[in-house]
Amino acid sequence: HTSLAIADAVAGIKKPVVEIHLSNIFQREDFRQISFIAPSCEGSISGFGMGSYKLGLEYFMKKLE
């Protein structure tokens, strides 16, 4: 999330993107609270451990309904 190269790649994706983090980045160091990919994402899920991936999948499954 702090990589400009990844931010450029995500910005070029024409499909919806959700940013997922295992830990809550907003409770970590200041530099980890900045996301360069967030402006190109529909949303962000963080702080639920491995459950963050499950929530991300559930989000996209709901979009398919």
Side-chain angles (χ1 to χ4, degrees), residues 3-5 7 10 17 27 29 39 50-51 53 55 64:
S3 166
L4 293 175
V10 171
V17 175
Q27 291 183 335
E29 303 91 344
M50 292 299 287
Y53 291 116
L55 291 169
L64 293 174

Side-chain angles (χ1 to χ4, degrees), residues 10-45:
V10 171
I13 297 173
K14 301 301 180 208
K15 300 287 184 183
V17 175
V18 173
E19 179 179 23
I20 296 178
H21 299 276
L22 300 178
S23 65
N24 183 346
I25 62 172
F26 301 105
Q27 291 183 335
R28 298 192 61 191
E29 303 91 344
D30 289 343
F31 75 93
R32 295 192 192 275
Q33 296 178 23
I34 299 167
S35 173
F36 296 126
I37 69 168
S40 299
C41 295
E42 286 196 0
S44 178
I45 299 170

Side-chain angles (χ1 to χ4, degrees), residues 42 54-65:
E42 286 196 0
K54 181 181 179 201
L55 291 169
L57 288 171
E58 288 176 1
Y59 171 78
F60 283 111
M61 295 303 291
K62 288 274 188 195
K63 287 186 69 90
L64 293 174
E65 293 179 348

